Amino acid sequence: MESAAVKSEGLVIPLIDFSLFLNGTPEQRKETAQAILHGFQTAGFIYLKGLPITPEYRKGLFETSAKYFKLPIETKMSHCWTTPEANRGYSAPGREKTTSLTDPEDVKKLRDAAPDLKESLEIGREGEPGHPNFWPLEQGELVGFKKTMVDFHDKCKYLHMEVMRAIAVGLGIDEQWFDSFTDVGDNTLRLLHYPEVKKDVFTINPGQVRAGAHSDYGSITLLFQDSRGGLQVQSPTGAFVDATPIENTCVVNAGDLLARWSNDNIKSTIHRVVEPPSGDGNVYPARYSIAGLSKGLELSTYSDVIIEGLHMIALDIGGEDTFGDKSEFAQHLAALISAALPKVDVRAITYPKYETRGDLHECVSRFQDWLLEQVIDIEVANGTPSPTIDPSVHTILIGHSMGGIVAAETVIALTNDKLIPHSEYEVTGGEREQAPSPEGLNSLMFPYIQGVLAFDTPFLGIAPGVVAHGAESHYNNAAAAWTQLSGLSTVLWGSSSKDQPPTSNKQPVGALPAPENNQPKNNQPNAPKSGGWGNWGKIAMVAGAAGAVAAGSAAAYMNREQITTGWSWVSSHLEFVGCLARGEELKNRVVALVRLNKELDIGFANLYTRLGKASSPKQVSMVGTVLGKERTFCNLPAKQAAGVWKEAINDAATDEAGAHMCMFEAKENPGYARLSEDAKDFIVAWSKNDWYETSTRGDIE
Ligand SMILES: O=C(O)CCC(=O)C(=O)O
Ligand SMILES: [Fe+2]
């Protein structure tokens, strides 16, 4: 039943009778399927005979193709290939260069040095919205051209489905496993003509070929070649071996998509077309071939299947330390999610620099720009046809502390095209009004955000017990406030504890440090040193204090007269956390998130720290005594009516700020494993939707 069509340099391309798969006994069918799979796994190429295509039909097809290429160049140029999205139309000689290179500059150089000596016409599925085929005028010899090609396109669709079924049978999975990806027939029929060419063209330029070395992009290619020859396939030794034409066969090779689907279990092998082994006189005659390149599924879901991915963007305040050393927590979380969502790629990317100058909205727009860049890079790298309409990347924003607010603002901005409204909404007691949205929500956001997972983000301010230690009466004295708050200065910024500023700092506000290159002239000798935490720590110290003060409603702190130097620098950082002072804004933000969850199914949760066994009750004169186990860093919603807030208990922490900062340190937080599991569960639940279910990463080894 099976023999070798090619056997050289370690490359064995089998010749397989496909009729035994289509019409054979169950045993023959299975054996044939296994041979087909084996050919794809080893050579990446097979030859099929016994196809339901008669020699006459085939001859007619090649004749029709040749008639098309005889058309004057101006006529062909009237329906030129335009965009990769459409991938339809005519490509004149020299236009396309098949290659595995990706850098456009490199491709250009190669094309200039050795242009492909071919012309082609790409014909796609009829009836695809927005992408009509370009048909030549039906006159003279070309009458019936469209019908012939549409009919052959259909035949290729059928053959494609059957070859994919053979692969499924060979793999021992459900025979129809690939059907839903092939039944639309989103395939490209490619008529190829390699014009007659003088032999010395190839000797003058040793790099000259008819079609450059490349692998195909789709699932499989059905290649019908005439009898000239010139197709070569790369062998395991690297040498190119002739894939000599065999009458009434079709060469079938696996493309990059199928390699990806199968985790490279199936090979997408490099091939090219060179001058044929023989020619008359000093010319090589023309060669024709017809390739049915099967993408394998409808264009709109194509990208999902190859490169669909869930990306977690960790909003890491102040470098890569927030989520543990080198963002370990984010990486760990990505691994957990990956195991739970095997159909998609899961990657954690950390926002490298958290710039906290200017107001919150400026920070958000800087982050948004960065995020957009990341996602576009991924979409471009993967060739997603319409990333803004059908993105292949879904993103979860995870943010610690203030990072959660930036994440929230980002998704609100993306869905509203404006930031949160400033009118009043109540979040307490479940009696919330709907935030008005004259424009309605924009579900076509790009980048597509699947959810916001916040970690100990003070969406509703910082719990009074964090700031006050029976000290709020001193808040009318700015110096005292600073003393009280110095211990909190880095907390909001998530720096690790070793980088905290001195906690016994007794300097008045007037001694707030100015930026390094803008030291105030009247700098006091005892001004706090930035020490090892540099500019960054200074920002944290100032902004953290401001945020905490704001949360503790110590308005006296905002006494600008006392700040003698560097105010503009300081104030621009204060603005950022100033949002914690704006109660209505805080509530509106939460209302907006709840609405996004309800209307657009965007996940939202806040995993907030709570002290556990190691904590003791705390006297907070403003609010009375807070029981040890009620001690949280964040102000909690009055009832759980502000989205999902879930506690993350730390049985080792003795104070709220410590729990807040050590969330992601397994050594200091006995609840680390639980926290990771909870975080994973949220993200998995948000992501198990239609997008996920229709994604196929292809773990089919
Ligand atoms: O013309 C041939 O034989 C090969 C064409 C080819 O490899 C392609 O179009 O991808
Ligand atoms: Fe190819």
Side-chain angles (χ1 to χ4, degrees), residues 45 98 190 192 194 211-217 221 223 231 253 269-273 291 293:
F45 270 74
T98 52
R190 177 165 154 86
L192 284 147
Y194 302 86
H214 67 280
S215 61
D216 290 352
Y217 55 77
T221 299
L223 182 66
L231 175 68
N253 62 295
T269 305
I270 303 271
H271 52 285
R272 67 181 187 185
V273 181
L293 291 134

Side-chain angles (χ1 to χ4, degrees), residues 13 36 39-41 43-48 160 163-164 167 214-224 231-233 243 250-259 266-272 290-294:
I13 303 181
I36 288 172
F40 285 136
Q41 288 170 325
F45 270 74
I46 58 174
Y47 279 57
L48 290 182
H160 173 220
V163 173
M164 294 307 292
I167 291 171
H214 67 280
S215 61
D216 290 352
Y217 55 77
S219 52
I220 57 168
T221 299
L222 306 165
L223 182 66
F224 298 83
L231 175 68
Q232 293 189 325
V233 178
C250 167
V251 174
V252 187
N253 62 295
D256 299 344
L257 175 59
L258 193 49
I266 286 172
K267 293 192 166 47
S268 174
T269 305
I270 303 271
H271 52 285
R272 67 181 187 185
I290 299 174
L293 291 134
S294 304

Side-chain angles (χ1 to χ4, degrees), residues 276-343:
S278 64
D280 310 327
N282 59 359
V283 295
Y284 291 117
R287 171 177 184 265
Y288 292 87
S289 68
I290 299 174
L293 291 134
S294 304
K295 285 187 204 128
L297 68 164
E298 163 198 3
L299 200 59
S300 63
T301 52
Y302 172 58
S303 56
D304 281 356
V305 172
I306 328 174
I307 46 103
E308 84 298 340
L310 183 63
H311 292 247
M312 293 190 317
I313 306 291
L315 280 172
D316 202 342
I317 302 171
E320 294 193 339
D321 283 341
T322 297
F323 292 99
D325 197 19
K326 297 196 173 56
S327 299
E328 251 165 37
F329 177 76
Q331 300 303 336
H332 173 203
L333 190 54
L336 291 178
I337 294 163
S338 191
L341 299 175
K343 288 184 175 187

